[in-house]
Amino acid sequence: MPRLTRRRFAQLGLGALAGLALPGVSACSRPSSDAVNSQLVHGATGGGLKDSLDPHFPVTIPDIARVRQLYESLYRFTPEYEIEPGLAEEITPNADGTQWTMRLRKGLLFHDGRPVRSTDVRASLARMLDPKDPAPFLAELAPLADLQSSRVLDDRTYRLALRQPYAILDQMFANYSVGIVPEDFDLAHPIGTGPFRFESFVPGQRSRFLRNEHYWGQRPAFDELVILDFSDDAAKVNALLAGQVQTIDNLPTYLAGAIEKQGAHALVSETGGWVPFTMRVDATQFSDVRVRTAMRLVADRQQMIDQALGGYGRVANDLYAPFDPAYLGDDLPQREQDIDRARSLLKAAGAEDLQVELVTSTAVGTGAVESANLFAQHARKAGVSVRVKKVDPSVFYGDQYLSWVFAQDFWNTRLYLPQVASCALPKSPYNETHFADERFVGLIRAAFREMDEDRRRTLLQDAQRIEYEEGGYLIWAFQNQVDAYGRFVTGVTPAREQPVSAYRFNTFSPVEGR
């Protein structure tokens, strides 16, 4: 692991731990009062003026952190990334997968004390499955939902009818962005069932939440939670070391050892998260599959892991969802840097003098900007000129997001079909590569309908072979998520799904006697 040099330490400004003031947070290096002990402050990476509290439309890292406090889905993932019941006791299909019955737990209450009923499930699904504006994660399901034929069976039971089989509805309803809200949900006064309830929100800056005394699960030990947006890594780490925030996500990996010496702790989780290079297959520069293959052969994956991720990761093979039982990446030939073959492919495609702009941002997360700069160096060996353009988080995830010809992005751990639905189909809400292969689409559509797991596995692996050969992603690593927490908080444990224990702040506690 690269050592943190004194020069690098100074460049980040991490020696100036005093006098840093953050809006709405008491500046103190050793919190001790009851007021401070009752507050947990988290530093989230990125964000901007388009930040949202919408349960079904989160985009940025701070969006995700906030959504997970307010709302909950019918199913959820354990820290080991196994599906378990959430708000629902069970979700069961009929024989052909055209009807799914959802039964709520007993005694669930919203933040305002009202009981959660199946009519709320119906209203939440209607909001998410609106064909004119579907929730991104359920965009593929929306045209298939037959809400008129769906039924409220009793106060706790709802049956969703579909126009055709959909084999993985239980997987889809385990996602954090499909939360259940009341029938009269108002985004200006957001109400859910999560462990914290809404108090205040300033987009691009901060949000404040209070403990939900009605919570059905493990109730928070902290009276309130504050989430602050950080676009600058130095400010984020400074705030942690100064005791002004207790947790941060996406710690620069080369600081993992240094913060331990300063009294904080690194949290390392093995995940299926990935920060890909995204090539638009419909753009002139990348319309030829030989060019896309050459770009994949340009990358020195291990070097990017060692230097951009500080060694916290493992080599990937241009496919995602490594925890899915159907994952094929380990069985296909591992792509490694091959400059000669890359040059040959570029020449055959008439692209020997390829010039491209690579757009990146700190909002993409740990290692993004560093890996972009490394990739530009690798590409130069093959005669490709890559100009790295680092933009502000609000620009990267602004109006041009999903239109960049060559860029990066971040994805958290997901199973294969839910990930495909989000990013790899023609109408996927985040199809950043503009991939639209008809054979691939046919296989995926068939897999969504296939209730037999063995036959579905075959379809999924055939689809992965197409992505491996012709897709627009360069997936060079699966990250070990590296976050950090201060000395006065405990209960922070690794989780495969998302940063900082998958943002389960209700499981954290203040250290006694602090």
Side-chain angles (χ1 to χ4, degrees), residues 176-197:
Y176 67 90
S177 66
V178 293
I180 299 301
V181 294
E183 286 186 272
D184 59 353
F185 180 72
D186 179 2
L187 190 55
H189 305 282
I191 290 175
T193 63
F196 289 92
R197 56 187 175 86

PDB file of all heavy atoms in Angstrom, residues 176-197:
ATOM      1  N   TYR A 176     -32.755  -0.247  -2.062  1.00  0.00           N
ATOM      2  CA  TYR A 176     -32.987   0.876  -1.150  1.00  0.00           C
ATOM      3  C   TYR A 176     -33.862   1.963  -1.748  1.00  0.00           C
ATOM      4  O   TYR A 176     -34.459   2.769  -1.019  1.00  0.00           O
ATOM      5  CB  TYR A 176     -31.643   1.489  -0.735  1.00  0.00           C
ATOM      6  CG  TYR A 176     -30.930   2.156  -1.878  1.00  0.00           C
ATOM      7  CD1 TYR A 176     -31.132   3.495  -2.175  1.00  0.00           C
ATOM      8  CD2 TYR A 176     -30.065   1.431  -2.707  1.00  0.00           C
ATOM      9  CE1 TYR A 176     -30.499   4.106  -3.251  1.00  0.00           C
ATOM     10  CE2 TYR A 176     -29.428   2.026  -3.776  1.00  0.00           C
ATOM     11  CZ  TYR A 176     -29.647   3.355  -4.044  1.00  0.00           C
ATOM     12  OH  TYR A 176     -29.020   3.945  -5.108  1.00  0.00           O
ATOM     13  N   SER A 177     -33.972   2.036  -3.073  1.00  0.00           N
ATOM     14  CA  SER A 177     -34.671   3.145  -3.724  1.00  0.00           C
ATOM     15  C   SER A 177     -36.116   2.825  -4.087  1.00  0.00           C
ATOM     16  O   SER A 177     -36.712   3.507  -4.917  1.00  0.00           O
ATOM     17  CB  SER A 177     -33.912   3.573  -4.986  1.00  0.00           C
ATOM     18  OG  SER A 177     -33.929   2.543  -5.949  1.00  0.00           O
ATOM     19  N   VAL A 178     -36.699   1.817  -3.469  1.00  0.00           N
ATOM     20  CA  VAL A 178     -38.104   1.485  -3.728  1.00  0.00           C
ATOM     21  C   VAL A 178     -38.869   1.498  -2.392  1.00  0.00           C
ATOM     22  O   VAL A 178     -39.619   0.586  -2.066  1.00  0.00           O
ATOM     23  CB  VAL A 178     -38.271   0.139  -4.476  1.00  0.00           C
ATOM     24  CG1 VAL A 178     -37.726   0.254  -5.882  1.00  0.00           C
ATOM     25  CG2 VAL A 178     -37.560  -1.003  -3.746  1.00  0.00           C
ATOM     26  N   GLY A 179     -38.667   2.559  -1.637  1.00  0.00           N
ATOM     27  CA  GLY A 179     -39.253   2.667  -0.311  1.00  0.00           C
ATOM     28  C   GLY A 179     -40.758   2.843  -0.323  1.00  0.00           C
ATOM     29  O   GLY A 179     -41.348   3.387  -1.269  1.00  0.00           O
ATOM     30  N   ILE A 180     -41.388   2.393   0.759  1.00  0.00           N
ATOM     31  CA  ILE A 180     -42.833   2.516   0.915  1.00  0.00           C
ATOM     32  C   ILE A 180     -43.143   3.823   1.645  1.00  0.00           C
ATOM     33  O   ILE A 180     -42.550   4.136   2.687  1.00  0.00           O
ATOM     34  CB  ILE A 180     -43.393   1.317   1.712  1.00  0.00           C
ATOM     35  CG1 ILE A 180     -43.103   0.004   0.957  1.00  0.00           C
ATOM     36  CG2 ILE A 180     -44.889   1.485   1.951  1.00  0.00           C
ATOM     37  CD1 ILE A 180     -43.688  -0.070  -0.446  1.00  0.00           C
ATOM     38  N   VAL A 181     -44.083   4.586   1.087  1.00  0.00           N
ATOM     39  CA  VAL A 181     -44.475   5.879   1.649  1.00  0.00           C
ATOM     40  C   VAL A 181     -45.991   5.905   1.824  1.00  0.00           C
ATOM     41  O   VAL A 181     -46.709   5.081   1.266  1.00  0.00           O
ATOM     42  CB  VAL A 181     -44.009   7.038   0.741  1.00  0.00           C
ATOM     43  CG1 VAL A 181     -42.491   7.110   0.699  1.00  0.00           C
ATOM     44  CG2 VAL A 181     -44.573   6.882  -0.676  1.00  0.00           C
ATOM     45  N   PRO A 182     -46.516   6.862   2.603  1.00  0.00           N
ATOM     46  CA  PRO A 182     -47.968   6.924   2.807  1.00  0.00           C
ATOM     47  C   PRO A 182     -48.721   7.332   1.552  1.00  0.00           C
ATOM     48  O   PRO A 182     -48.148   7.911   0.616  1.00  0.00           O
ATOM     49  CB  PRO A 182     -48.134   7.963   3.917  1.00  0.00           C
ATOM     50  CG  PRO A 182     -46.827   8.592   4.131  1.00  0.00           C
ATOM     51  CD  PRO A 182     -45.783   7.839   3.380  1.00  0.00           C
ATOM     52  N   GLU A 183     -50.008   7.045   1.544  1.00  0.00           N
ATOM     53  CA  GLU A 183     -50.858   7.391   0.393  1.00  0.00           C
ATOM     54  C   GLU A 183     -50.788   8.875   0.058  1.00  0.00           C
ATOM     55  O   GLU A 183     -50.828   9.258  -1.109  1.00  0.00           O
ATOM     56  CB  GLU A 183     -52.313   7.012   0.678  1.00  0.00           C
ATOM     57  CG  GLU A 183     -52.618   5.533   0.618  1.00  0.00           C
ATOM     58  CD  GLU A 183     -54.108   5.278   0.775  1.00  0.00           C
ATOM     59  OE1 GLU A 183     -54.562   5.144   1.926  1.00  0.00           O
ATOM     60  OE2 GLU A 183     -54.808   5.220  -0.261  1.00  0.00           O
ATOM     61  N   ASP A 184     -50.711   9.718   1.082  1.00  0.00           N
ATOM     62  CA  ASP A 184     -50.708  11.171   0.872  1.00  0.00           C
ATOM     63  C   ASP A 184     -49.296  11.739   0.913  1.00  0.00           C
ATOM     64  O   ASP A 184     -49.090  12.875   1.362  1.00  0.00           O
ATOM     65  CB  ASP A 184     -51.594  11.854   1.917  1.00  0.00           C
ATOM     66  CG  ASP A 184     -51.127  11.579   3.351  1.00  0.00           C
ATOM     67  OD1 ASP A 184     -50.202  10.762   3.536  1.00  0.00           O
ATOM     68  OD2 ASP A 184     -51.692  12.186   4.288  1.00  0.00           O
ATOM     69  N   PHE A 185     -48.328  10.984   0.443  1.00  0.00           N
ATOM     70  CA  PHE A 185     -46.922  11.405   0.514  1.00  0.00           C
ATOM     71  C   PHE A 185     -46.719  12.775  -0.116  1.00  0.00           C
ATOM     72  O   PHE A 185     -47.202  13.068  -1.213  1.00  0.00           O
ATOM     73  CB  PHE A 185     -46.038  10.384  -0.196  1.00  0.00           C
ATOM     74  CG  PHE A 185     -44.571  10.742  -0.183  1.00  0.00           C
ATOM     75  CD1 PHE A 185     -43.842  10.653   0.984  1.00  0.00           C
ATOM     76  CD2 PHE A 185     -43.936  11.181  -1.341  1.00  0.00           C
ATOM     77  CE1 PHE A 185     -42.487  10.985   1.009  1.00  0.00           C
ATOM     78  CE2 PHE A 185     -42.589  11.502  -1.332  1.00  0.00           C
ATOM     79  CZ  PHE A 185     -41.872  11.414  -0.148  1.00  0.00           C
ATOM     80  N   ASP A 186     -45.969  13.630   0.599  1.00  0.00           N
ATOM     81  CA  ASP A 186     -45.649  14.981   0.148  1.00  0.00           C
ATOM     82  C   ASP A 186     -44.139  15.169   0.290  1.00  0.00           C
ATOM     83  O   ASP A 186     -43.616  15.147   1.411  1.00  0.00           O
ATOM     84  CB  ASP A 186     -46.403  16.002   0.999  1.00  0.00           C
ATOM     85  CG  ASP A 186     -46.091  17.447   0.606  1.00  0.00           C
ATOM     86  OD1 ASP A 186     -45.316  17.664  -0.349  1.00  0.00           O
ATOM     87  OD2 ASP A 186     -46.620  18.361   1.277  1.00  0.00           O
ATOM     88  N   LEU A 187     -43.445  15.367  -0.807  1.00  0.00           N
ATOM     89  CA  LEU A 187     -41.993  15.478  -0.779  1.00  0.00           C
ATOM     90  C   LEU A 187     -41.525  16.679   0.030  1.00  0.00           C
ATOM     91  O   LEU A 187     -40.413  16.686   0.562  1.00  0.00           O
ATOM     92  CB  LEU A 187     -41.437  15.553  -2.205  1.00  0.00           C
ATOM     93  CG  LEU A 187     -39.917  15.441  -2.364  1.00  0.00           C
ATOM     94  CD1 LEU A 187     -39.387  14.175  -1.703  1.00  0.00           C
ATOM     95  CD2 LEU A 187     -39.536  15.475  -3.851  1.00  0.00           C
ATOM     96  N   ALA A 188     -42.369  17.692   0.172  1.00  0.00           N
ATOM     97  CA  ALA A 188     -42.005  18.855   0.982  1.00  0.00           C
ATOM     98  C   ALA A 188     -41.976  18.514   2.467  1.00  0.00           C
ATOM     99  O   ALA A 188     -41.310  19.193   3.253  1.00  0.00           O
ATOM    100  CB  ALA A 188     -42.984  20.001   0.728  1.00  0.00           C
ATOM    101  N   HIS A 189     -42.687  17.465   2.846  1.00  0.00           N
ATOM    102  CA  HIS A 189     -42.716  16.997   4.241  1.00  0.00           C
ATOM    103  C   HIS A 189     -42.600  15.471   4.216  1.00  0.00           C
ATOM    104  O   HIS A 189     -43.571  14.764   4.478  1.00  0.00           O
ATOM    105  CB  HIS A 189     -43.995  17.448   4.938  1.00  0.00           C
ATOM    106  CG  HIS A 189     -44.226  18.921   4.888  1.00  0.00           C
ATOM    107  ND1 HIS A 189     -43.559  19.798   5.724  1.00  0.00           N
ATOM    108  CD2 HIS A 189     -45.020  19.684   4.085  1.00  0.00           C
ATOM    109  CE1 HIS A 189     -43.939  21.042   5.448  1.00  0.00           C
ATOM    110  NE2 HIS A 189     -44.820  21.007   4.465  1.00  0.00           N
ATOM    111  N   PRO A 190     -41.425  14.966   3.885  1.00  0.00           N
ATOM    112  CA  PRO A 190     -41.279  13.536   3.600  1.00  0.00           C
ATOM    113  C   PRO A 190     -41.475  12.660   4.837  1.00  0.00           C
ATOM    114  O   PRO A 190     -40.896  12.909   5.893  1.00  0.00           O
ATOM    115  CB  PRO A 190     -39.844  13.436   3.072  1.00  0.00           C
ATOM    116  CG  PRO A 190     -39.138  14.613   3.669  1.00  0.00           C
ATOM    117  CD  PRO A 190     -40.165  15.703   3.747  1.00  0.00           C
ATOM    118  N   ILE A 191     -42.296  11.642   4.668  1.00  0.00           N
ATOM    119  CA  ILE A 191     -42.594  10.700   5.735  1.00  0.00           C
ATOM    120  C   ILE A 191     -42.357   9.291   5.227  1.00  0.00           C
ATOM    121  O   ILE A 191     -42.777   8.940   4.117  1.00  0.00           O
ATOM    122  CB  ILE A 191     -44.052  10.854   6.215  1.00  0.00           C
ATOM    123  CG1 ILE A 191     -44.208  12.176   6.972  1.00  0.00           C
ATOM    124  CG2 ILE A 191     -44.471   9.690   7.115  1.00  0.00           C
ATOM    125  CD1 ILE A 191     -45.643  12.468   7.371  1.00  0.00           C
ATOM    126  N   GLY A 192     -41.675   8.500   6.030  1.00  0.00           N
ATOM    127  CA  GLY A 192     -41.455   7.104   5.700  1.00  0.00           C
ATOM    128  C   GLY A 192     -41.521   6.264   6.956  1.00  0.00           C
ATOM    129  O   GLY A 192     -42.153   6.639   7.949  1.00  0.00           O
ATOM    130  N   THR A 193     -40.829   5.129   6.928  1.00  0.00           N
ATOM    131  CA  THR A 193     -40.793   4.229   8.085  1.00  0.00           C
ATOM    132  C   THR A 193     -39.375   4.065   8.625  1.00  0.00           C
ATOM    133  O   THR A 193     -39.150   3.273   9.530  1.00  0.00           O
ATOM    134  CB  THR A 193     -41.314   2.835   7.707  1.00  0.00           C
ATOM    135  OG1 THR A 193     -40.445   2.262   6.713  1.00  0.00           O
ATOM    136  CG2 THR A 193     -42.737   2.891   7.178  1.00  0.00           C
ATOM    137  N   GLY A 194     -38.407   4.781   8.065  1.00  0.00           N
ATOM    138  CA  GLY A 194     -37.001   4.574   8.394  1.00  0.00           C
ATOM    139  C   GLY A 194     -36.654   4.929   9.823  1.00  0.00           C
ATOM    140  O   GLY A 194     -37.457   5.514  10.568  1.00  0.00           O
ATOM    141  N   PRO A 195     -35.423   4.617  10.243  1.00  0.00           N
ATOM    142  CA  PRO A 195     -35.016   4.810  11.636  1.00  0.00           C
ATOM    143  C   PRO A 195     -34.895   6.269  12.061  1.00  0.00           C
ATOM    144  O   PRO A 195     -34.877   6.567  13.252  1.00  0.00           O
ATOM    145  CB  PRO A 195     -33.667   4.103  11.707  1.00  0.00           C
ATOM    146  CG  PRO A 195     -33.159   4.079  10.306  1.00  0.00           C
ATOM    147  CD  PRO A 195     -34.374   3.941   9.448  1.00  0.00           C
ATOM    148  N   PHE A 196     -34.802   7.180  11.100  1.00  0.00           N
ATOM    149  CA  PHE A 196     -34.769   8.609  11.407  1.00  0.00           C
ATOM    150  C   PHE A 196     -35.875   9.321  10.631  1.00  0.00           C
ATOM    151  O   PHE A 196     -36.247   8.902   9.534  1.00  0.00           O
ATOM    152  CB  PHE A 196     -33.413   9.220  11.039  1.00  0.00           C
ATOM    153  CG  PHE A 196     -32.291   8.796  11.947  1.00  0.00           C
ATOM    154  CD1 PHE A 196     -31.519   7.688  11.644  1.00  0.00           C
ATOM    155  CD2 PHE A 196     -32.012   9.509  13.103  1.00  0.00           C
ATOM    156  CE1 PHE A 196     -30.480   7.289  12.477  1.00  0.00           C
ATOM    157  CE2 PHE A 196     -30.979   9.123  13.944  1.00  0.00           C
ATOM    158  CZ  PHE A 196     -30.209   8.007  13.629  1.00  0.00           C
ATOM    159  N   ARG A 197     -36.389  10.404  11.206  1.00  0.00           N
ATOM    160  CA  ARG A 197     -37.436  11.180  10.547  1.00  0.00           C
ATOM    161  C   ARG A 197     -36.901  12.562  10.161  1.00  0.00           C
ATOM    162  O   ARG A 197     -35.948  13.077  10.745  1.00  0.00           O
ATOM    163  CB  ARG A 197     -38.669  11.317  11.440  1.00  0.00           C
ATOM    164  CG  ARG A 197     -38.407  11.921  12.807  1.00  0.00           C
ATOM    165  CD  ARG A 197     -39.663  11.866  13.677  1.00  0.00           C
ATOM    166  NE  ARG A 197     -39.402  12.323  15.039  1.00  0.00           N
ATOM    167  CZ  ARG A 197     -39.445  13.587  15.431  1.00  0.00           C
ATOM    168  NH1 ARG A 197     -39.745  14.542  14.548  1.00  0.00           N
ATOM    169  NH2 ARG A 197     -39.191  13.913  16.680  1.00  0.00           N
TER     170      ARG A 197
END
